Amino acid sequence: MPKNGIHPMLYQMTVVLRNGASIQVPTTIPRASPLFLKEDVTNNPLWTGKTEGLGAEDEHMQTFMTRFAGLDSINDAGAKKGTGGGGSAAEGKGKGDAK
């Protein structure tokens, strides 16, 4: 039993997992409505190892990555030519380059 004035009040919060299962979790947040999770251990690819059935956010990210996939090759080509190698602005300037 917590001592009064020392420990925060604990409340029971209902957390609803993506598959519909619900669990009770002790928390210091007084919340009457349940918390609905978008991802949890039942559907997260890091936990399950499965990549099918991803959410809308993941589909948008896949579309973004597909659309801009060529930018890596542009940056790599610039680095090889010396035009975008990531060096400082002062590199390559000799005594006669300053105006």
Side-chain angles (χ1 to χ4, degrees), residues 46-68:
L46 295 175
W47 287 86
T48 62
K50 299 178 184 176
T51 57
E52 66 270 357
L54 298 176
E57 295 89 4
D58 297 322
E59 291 174 9
H60 289 298
M61 186 56 137
Q62 185 62 38
T63 303
F64 177 85
M65 296 299 287
T66 303
R67 183 174 179 186
F68 296 105

Side-chain angles (χ1 to χ4, degrees), residues 3-31:
K3 292 183 179 180
N4 290 333
I6 296 177
H7 300 284
M9 291 290 299
L10 287 178
Y11 303 94
Q12 290 295 318
M13 180 171 55
T14 302
V15 177
V16 180
L17 304 177
R18 184 72 183 243
N19 65 357
S22 62
I23 56 173
Q24 294 287 325
V25 179
T27 181
T28 57
I29 302 170
R31 184 181 179 116

Side-chain angles (χ1 to χ4, degrees), residues 67-83:
R67 183 174 179 186
F68 296 105
L71 290 179
D72 285 341
S73 62
I74 292 172
N75 288 338
D76 292 342
K80 290 177 185 174
K81 291 179 185 176
T83 58

Side-chain angles (χ1 to χ4, degrees), residues 90 92-98:
K93 288 190 175 186
K95 292 181 181 178
D97 293 338

